[in-house]
Amino acid sequence: MSAGSASQDPELLRRLLRAKDRMDAASHEAWPVRRLAQVSGVSEAHFARSFKQAFGVPPHRYLLTRRIERATALLRDTELSITEIAFHTGWESLGTFGRTFRDITGESPSAIRARARAMAQELNRVPACIVSAAHRPDLTIAVSEKRRRVADGTNEPQHKEVR
């Protein structure tokens, strides 16, 4: 949780965590703000504002992160086709999945799969939790903002440093 969450009501935080846990458990499902607000028992506007304050990202961006993490794991660990992975992780369109995946990770799903297979032997000595944390998508800005920056020619590749 973010530093701003410390000032929120503990009961509200429990309600927000309930919605977050539901998204984690079923990230392949549609989670519009209305549904999340119902799970939390608060209004839509209050939910959206409070979720961002508590977790540092809007609910939709959080859900995208979960979906991309799951898709990356499936690309790395299974032989499922990219199309199967897209639909299995909640995307309704292969094109949207591919575009969003590339916008967030900087690489196409097939490039991620190829790199993961090439690195598989090297990573066998590293604990899985460390590998997962290093490959977590960085959604510090909205995908639409990232696309705008690319269109404007102001986007510089953002690479996380692994220490």
Side-chain angles (χ1 to χ4, degrees), residues 1-8 13 16-17 20 49-58:
M1 286 191 222
S2 71
S5 65
S7 65
Q8 287 185 330
L13 290 174
L16 295 173
L17 280 170
K20 184 175 172 276
R49 184 177 50 252
S50 299
F51 189 95
K52 184 175 182 183
Q53 181 183 6
F55 302 111
V57 294

Side-chain angles (χ1 to χ4, degrees), residues 129-141:
C129 60
I130 301 299
V131 173
S132 294
H135 291 119
R136 183 166 288 133
D138 184 18
L139 277 179
T140 55
I141 64 170

Side-chain angles (χ1 to χ4, degrees), residues 16-32 36 39 47 51 55 58-64 66-67:
L16 295 173
L17 280 170
R18 186 178 313 135
K20 184 175 172 276
D21 289 346
R22 293 267 184 98
M23 279 194 286
D24 288 341
S27 62
H28 61 282
E29 293 180 13
W31 287 103
L36 293 166
V39 167
F47 174 82
F51 189 95
F55 302 111
H60 181 71
R61 197 172 312 165
Y62 178 81
L63 181 60
L64 285 179
R66 294 280 107 23
R67 285 182 175 177

Side-chain angles (χ1 to χ4, degrees), residues 41-157:
V42 296
S43 73
E44 293 176 39
H46 188 56
F47 174 82
R49 184 177 50 252
S50 299
F51 189 95
K52 184 175 182 183
Q53 181 183 6
F55 302 111
V57 294
H60 181 71
R61 197 172 312 165
Y62 178 81
L63 181 60
L64 285 179
T65 300
R66 294 280 107 23
R67 285 182 175 177
I68 296 299
E69 285 176 347
R70 180 72 181 131
T72 301
L74 290 171
L75 288 164
R76 182 182 62 240
D77 301 335
T78 72
E79 294 300 319
L80 293 172
S81 71
I82 292 173
T83 301
E84 290 173 301
I85 290 171
F87 293 121
H88 185 73
T89 54
W91 302 91
E92 295 180 10
S93 157
L94 181 59
T96 302
F97 167 70
R99 184 179 62 249
T100 305
F101 193 96
R102 183 177 288 111
D103 286 345
I104 291 171
T105 66
E107 297 180 86
S108 69
S110 57
I112 293 279
R113 175 170 268 171
R115 186 169 46 82
R117 287 181 177 165
M119 292 176 47
Q121 292 301 88
E122 296 174 30
L123 295 178
N124 284 339
R125 299 181 306 228
V126 180
C129 60
I130 301 299
V131 173
S132 294
H135 291 119
R136 183 166 288 133
D138 184 18
L139 277 179
T140 55
I141 64 170
V143 172
S144 58
E145 174 65 12
K146 200 170 190 180
R147 286 184 189 139
R148 186 193 61 75
R149 288 182 183 179
V150 168
D152 292 346
T154 59
N155 191 32
E156 296 179 11

